[in-house]
Amino acid sequence: MAARTITFVTGNANKLKEVQAILASCTHLTLVNRKIDLPELQAASTAEVSAEKCKLAAEAVQGAVLVEDTSLCFNALNSLPGPYIKWFLEGVGHDGLNRMLDGFEDRSAYALCTFAYCEGPGKEVHIFEGKTDGSIVKARGPLDFGWDPIFEPSGFAQTYAEMPKETKNTISHRARALEKVLQFFA
C-alpha cells in the first residue's frame, strides 16, 4: 500500500509530538506538519469546531489535512468547560478549574478528542472521536501541556502529566480518536 501524505495542522508542539508518537508504527501514513493561523472557532461541540477548522485548513493547504480539537468536560457542570477549555485554562489556570468544582460532590470528568480529516477543498469531512473518563484533581506533574496535570483517568492513580508518555499514548482520548483515524485509512 502506498503511503498517504497528510498535513496535520497544529501550532502546538506538544500535541504534534504526541500524535507523531501514536502514529509512529503506521507505515501507510506520512504526517507532515504545518502551522496555519486559523480562526479560533467556538461552538457547542468539538465535532463542529473540528469540521469547520478542517474545511478552512484544506483550503489553505490545497490538499489532505487532519485537524484536532479537544474538550475537557466536567460532569457536574453539564460538560462545561467542554470545547472552551483552552480559554478557561488561560483565564483561571489549573487551580481555578479545580475551584469551579468546589461545592460539588461530583468531580468526574471526561476528555474528548475530535479529529477531522478532509482530502482537500470541497471534499467530505470525516470526524473521529475518542473519549477517556476520569476525574479532576489538584494539579500534579509537569505543568507544560494544557490541563494534563489536573486530569486523572479512571483506573489510574496518576494524572496525564505524571504518566510516562508511552502509557498516556495508549489510553488517552487522543489515542482513542487516532485509533479510529487509522481504521479509516486501513
Side-chain angles (χ1 to χ4, degrees):
M1 173 187 307
R4 178 187 306 250
T5 300
I6 299 170
T7 301
F8 179 44
V9 178
T10 186
N12 184 322
N14 285 323
K15 189 180 292 186
L16 175 62
K17 285 179 196 172
E18 195 167 281
V19 169
Q20 288 173 327
I22 293 168
L23 295 179
S25 64
C26 181
T27 58
H28 61 282
L29 287 179
T30 301
L31 198 65
V32 296
N33 175 244
R34 186 161 161 200
K35 180 181 178 180
I36 300 174
D37 192 22
L38 296 172
E40 273 295 332
L41 304 168
Q42 297 300 309
S45 75
T46 55
E48 291 175 71
V49 173
S50 293
E52 194 58 34
K53 277 174 41 176
C54 195
K55 291 174 191 174
L56 294 170
E59 285 290 333
V61 170
Q62 289 294 301
V65 294
L66 186 67
V67 300
E68 185 255 20
D69 203 69
T70 299
S71 289
L72 182 61
C73 305
F74 299 176
N75 292 319
L77 299 178
N78 296 320
S79 298
L80 284 174
Y84 308 109
I85 185 59
K86 176 181 178 179
W87 306 112
F88 275 65
L89 181 59
E90 284 180 12
V92 300
H94 296 114
D95 289 338
L97 287 169
N98 260 281
R99 283 194 307 272
M100 287 172 54
L101 290 174
D102 287 353
F104 291 95
E105 289 182 30
D106 185 2
R107 297 188 77 80
S108 67
Y110 62 93
L112 180 68
C113 179
T114 305
F115 277 94
Y117 168 77
C118 182
E119 289 181 20
K123 302 287 186 178
E124 181 182 0
V125 174
H126 302 273
I127 301 292
F128 311 93
E129 291 190 319
K131 179 181 174 185
T132 300
D133 290 316
S135 59
I136 302 303
V137 298
K138 295 226 179 277
R140 301 190 317 253
L143 304 176
D144 62 344
F145 193 8
W147 43 264
D148 279 11
I150 64 164
F151 184 73
E152 184 179 283
S154 296
F156 291 86
Q158 296 176 305
T159 64
Y160 272 172
E162 294 173 301
M163 290 180 167
K165 298 288 185 237
E166 300 78 24
T167 302
K168 179 188 174 197
N169 289 346
T170 62
I171 59 104
S172 75
H173 55 300
R174 187 166 289 120
R176 291 176 174 159
L178 284 170
E179 284 174 22
K180 294 175 182 174
V181 171
L182 291 173
Q183 290 170 4
F184 177 79
F185 288 113

